[in-house]
Structure formats: structure tokens, C-alpha cells
Amino acid sequence: MLLAAAVILSGCTEQRLFAVRAVAAAVPSLAPFFEEDGSLGTDETKLRPEQAHSGLQQGNTPGLYGGTQKPKVCDVDRLKDFLTDPRNRQKAREWARIVGIEPDRIEGYIDDLTPVLLRHDTLVKNHDYKKGKAVAFDALLEAGIAVLVNDQGLPAVKCSCGNPLQSFDKDPEKISVKFEDGNKKWDGYEKSDVVTVKPAPEPLERIALIDVDNPDQGINRPVGSTGENDEPFDATKQHAVPRVAGMTFDQASQRLSELGLAAAFSGGLPPGDAAVTGSDPGPGTELRFGEAVTLSVADDGEEPGTPPKSDPSDGPTTDDDPTSDDPTSDGPTTDGPTTDEPTTSGPTTDDPDTGDPDTGSPTSGEPTTDRPTTGEPTTIEPTTAVPTTPTTSSTPPTVEPTSAEPTSAEPTSAEPTRSEPVTSEPASSAPGSSGAPASGESAVGAA
């Protein structure tokens, strides 16, 4: 009886797994929207999957995608021609329905997409075209497959066949990958390294890519361009981890992205307004482009203004002066003059000032009573809030009142003050795209 019960329980567990169809690079689909003859796009078959620092990654993660100077990785003009050809009217209707736009907006929508190469085995919702209808199926796309991504960094089109893509909306921990129909298990496949992409906290203007032909070089690619306006940068240059304690999760991940660093986290993706209590490694640690910083957030019910459990000043900092260079309500203001050039997905033009640990911290973190002036010692604590966790650093801690939310003076939708990128560093990202998943679809994010 015990053996029978174990078999039954095992069968129930198997039933809870979601079947995911493996899609290998350069292997034609059985029922694509358009024939995969190389006219729409080509995959990179020699690109092995990278080890993922997190199973969930946001679309603005630096180095999430790769780039190349090879022509016609994605032929967006030919894709537009196919979808606007009167002979493909029904395909265009279904394609637009999945994307969530009207058929007459297809050309403009495609113009806002950006060709990239997957650097990780990536979960998506793919679509076959059968009997005049788009048929959804969960898919695992192999690293090296060329896709078009939208301004939130989400895969939107599989280049080689024109299939529309949506975000994977199931539990990635409960998948069963099926290698069939010529899609044999590829070299480097590890289930633990499979990635699901979530929307970037802010619309991207540029995407910071790794050159797949030269991993020591990065490519700063404007959203909506196909490579003609690429700007290379040194991907080996290191950047110091900024102080992020007191920011919201979205603000912290955005700040890291500006410096070319990836935001990692334990468990599921935290809410955008979750209060960040610290980072690992700590402020001042030097990391190269694309390396990850794990953010810790406040537990449910914890007051955002309470001192962090992990002291954010553990990293090496210099000339710590919490009272100087107060951030404005629009975000960090450490690097360069303010311009109309947002920096949301690539490194800024200068390394962060490790001598100012409060750079980028919201103004709500400052005490509201008995605040010391710039001429007074910075160790004076406010009478209304006393940290319960002593700092181990030789520098005075930033005192945060327990009654104030760290984001009360800075809404999560506010963009950081921007800095002008130069060609030696990746810029970032910003304007929105017209593309969004269809109403009623299970896609995550706007694209």
C-alpha cells in the first residue's frame, strides 16, 4: 500500500509540471508563421548558454543579451513586407492579435523593436500558425537564437520565422523540457541556468549588449535600431557598487543598470516599491560590466525606515559625508550634468563616487528633526529616530526615521537624473514602445 501511495503521489507531482518545448538554434519550426529559409533572420549556432546569476532577470539587465555586427541577424524590413502583404492578411491579423495592436500598426510596432541574440536559454510563450490561427505553446529558446526585443527588454519576435513571442507566465521551477522534432539537447544546457525575462522598471532607450564575437567589448544599441548606430565600449572596465540601502527595489536596480551592473535577488522578483536594506557585495566593491549585485529587501511588515539588517557600509568607501550632496527628489545626481539623455540600461559616463555613500538615496532617508548643518559633525543623531543596529564602519551611518517611507519623497516612477553617455561607455535606455501584449493574454509586462 505504501508503494502504491508513493507511485500515485509521484504521478500527481509529474502532472503539475508544465511541458515546455525545446527550440534549438537554427532548427526550423514545424508550423512557423513564415518559412525559416534564412531570409528573415539567422541564429548564432556556436554560442553556448551563459551561466545565469538569477532565474528571473529584468529586461534592463546589462549583458542579458548579445550583439554582433554581422548583417541581417534580423531582417526587419522583410518581416514588415511579409506582414503587410495582402496575401498574408490573415497571418497579419493573428500576429497583431497576439502582440496586442491593430494590423495597421504593425510597421510602426516593428520599427520600435531591437535585434539581439539570446545569451541564456530563455523561457517564452511562442506561437505556431495552424489553420489560420496562432496557437500558443511554452518554449525554451536556446542561447544564440536571434530575437527582436521591445523597449522593456522582453523578447517579442523570433527573427528566423517571424513568430510573435510573449513572456513566460508559469512557474519556471515546475517545467518539463521536451527535446523533440529535431531539437536535440544542446551542449551547455543546464536546467538551473534557464532564464525568464521580466519587464524593465523603466522603458529602455538603449540596450547594453555583450559583443558575442568579442566578449571583452560591449555594444550600446539604441532601441529601434538594427546596428547602424551601435557604440562600442570597454566591457572589462570595473564600476563601484553604489549605496542602495533606503532606495526602492526599482530605484536600486535602475541605478545598478546605469553602472552596467546586474540586480540579483533571492526568490521571486520583489515588488518595485520594496525597501532595499542592503547589497552583496557592499558599496564600493569594484565589479566589471554585467556582474551581479544581490539586493536584500525589507521583510513584510518591516518599517522601511528602520536600519538595514545588513550594514550597507560594509564595502570600502572613502571621505564618507552623509550630509553633503543631498539627492534631489528625481534620483541620483552624482555623475555629469543633467541632460535630456536618460541612462537606464547601460553604464554612465563616470564611475560612481565611492566617497559619497548617500549618492542616489532618497531624500526621505534624511531625519526631519535636529538635522545637522554642513558645518556640524555628521555623527549627531536625530531625536526622533535612533538606529538599532550599530554600523561597523568608521564612518557615521545615515540615520533614517522609522516613521517615514523611503519613497515618500520620490515616487517609484521617477527616473534618475540623467548623464550624457560617451562612446567609450554604454548608455542606457528609456522611451516607451507602442508594443504591448494582447488583452486577455497571459504575458508578463507590456511586451
Side-chain angles (χ1 to χ4, degrees), residues 35-53:
E35 184 179 356
E36 293 188 80
D37 57 2
S39 62
L40 278 177
T42 55
D43 300 329
E44 178 57 67
T45 57
K46 296 181 180 180
L47 191 63
R48 288 174 60 88
E50 294 290 328
Q51 184 175 0
H53 61 73

Side-chain angles (χ1 to χ4, degrees), residues 128-196:
D128 281 332
Y129 184 78
K130 297 179 179 179
K131 298 180 180 180
K133 295 291 183 182
V135 180
F137 67 94
D138 294 322
L140 178 65
L141 304 186
E142 182 186 5
I145 287 180
V147 298
L148 293 171
V149 298
N150 64 16
D151 72 335
Q152 289 184 302
L154 299 174
V157 180
K158 187 173 182 290
C159 291
S160 63
C161 59
N163 286 3
L165 305 175
Q166 293 176 312
S167 296
F168 186 76
D169 59 355
K170 298 180 176 64
D171 187 348
E173 300 295 326
K174 297 179 179 180
I175 63 172
S176 176
V177 181
K178 306 296 182 183
F179 292 88
E180 53 193 15
D181 299 327
N183 297 280
K184 297 180 181 179
K185 186 176 294 186
W186 46 80
D187 290 340
Y189 167 74
E190 291 289 344
K191 186 176 179 181
S192 59
D193 288 331
V194 168
V195 163
T196 303

Side-chain angles (χ1 to χ4, degrees), residues 35-389:
E35 184 179 356
E36 293 188 80
D37 57 2
S39 62
L40 278 177
T42 55
D43 300 329
E44 178 57 67
T45 57
K46 296 181 180 180
L47 191 63
R48 288 174 60 88
E50 294 290 328
Q51 184 175 0
H53 61 73
S54 177
L56 294 176
Q57 297 196 31
Q58 292 178 294
N60 65 330
T61 302
L64 173 61
Y65 299 116
T68 179
Q69 298 298 320
K70 296 176 182 177
K72 303 304 180 185
V73 169
C74 295
D75 193 334
V76 294
D77 290 331
R78 193 173 184 87
L79 177 60
K80 289 189 292 185
D81 290 342
F82 278 14
L83 286 169
T84 54
D85 190 327
R87 293 173 295 181
N88 296 323
R89 184 176 291 109
Q90 181 56 28
K91 284 185 178 181
R93 288 196 188 102
E94 285 296 288
W95 198 95
R97 179 180 66 83
I98 297 302
V99 171
I101 60 175
E102 295 297 324
D104 60 2
R105 293 185 55 207
I106 286 177
E107 289 187 271
Y109 173 80
I110 293 176
D111 284 338
D112 289 336
L113 303 180
T114 310
V116 300
L117 294 169
L118 298 179
R119 296 184 68 229
H120 303 276
D121 295 340
T122 305
L123 289 168
V124 297
K125 180 179 288 186
N126 201 348
H127 296 82
D128 281 332
Y129 184 78
K130 297 179 179 179
K131 298 180 180 180
K133 295 291 183 182
V135 180
F137 67 94
D138 294 322
L140 178 65
L141 304 186
E142 182 186 5
I145 287 180
V147 298
L148 293 171
V149 298
N150 64 16
D151 72 335
Q152 289 184 302
L154 299 174
V157 180
K158 187 173 182 290
C159 291
S160 63
C161 59
N163 286 3
L165 305 175
Q166 293 176 312
S167 296
F168 186 76
D169 59 355
K170 298 180 176 64
D171 187 348
E173 300 295 326
K174 297 179 179 180
I175 63 172
S176 176
V177 181
K178 306 296 182 183
F179 292 88
E180 53 193 15
D181 299 327
N183 297 280
K184 297 180 181 179
K185 186 176 294 186
W186 46 80
D187 290 340
Y189 167 74
E190 291 289 344
K191 186 176 179 181
S192 59
D193 288 331
V194 168
V195 163
T196 303
V197 183
K198 298 298 182 182
E202 297 289 343
L204 308 178
E205 183 174 273
R206 290 175 173 81
I207 301 178
L209 312 171
I210 285 290
D211 190 330
V212 297
D213 301 312
N214 180 11
D216 287 339
Q217 178 172 290
I219 298 174
N220 196 27
R221 178 167 294 172
V223 168
S225 67
T226 59
E228 65 277 7
N229 297 317
D230 285 357
E231 296 178 352
F233 64 89
D234 182 5
T236 66
K237 184 176 181 179
Q238 294 193 331
H239 301 271
V241 176
R243 183 184 295 276
V244 293
M247 295 183 183
T248 66
F249 178 79
D250 278 354
Q251 290 168 345
S253 64
Q254 193 78 356
R255 177 60 177 151
L256 291 172
S257 176
E258 293 169 7
L259 298 173
L261 304 178
F265 41 88
S266 301
L269 182 67
D273 60 353
V276 175
T277 59
S279 67
D280 182 20
T285 305
E286 297 282 333
L287 299 176
R288 65 174 282 166
F289 175 81
E291 289 193 278
V293 177
T294 301
L295 300 177
S296 54
V297 299
D299 295 332
D300 291 341
E302 180 178 336
E303 289 293 333
T306 57
K309 294 180 180 178
S310 59
D311 190 354
S313 62
D314 288 341
T317 57
T318 59
D319 298 332
D320 199 355
D321 184 5
T323 63
S324 62
D325 296 329
D326 290 343
T328 66
S329 60
D330 289 331
T333 59
T334 59
D335 297 330
T338 301
T339 69
D340 58 358
E341 187 74 20
T343 57
T344 54
S345 75
T348 56
T349 57
D350 296 316
D351 288 339
D353 184 3
T354 59
D356 187 358
D358 278 341
T359 298
S361 300
T363 56
S364 60
E366 296 291 340
T368 56
T369 61
D370 295 334
R371 178 177 178 178
T373 64
T374 55
E376 294 176 339
T378 58
T379 55
I380 297 178
E381 297 180 355
T383 58
T384 58
V386 179
T388 59
T389 304

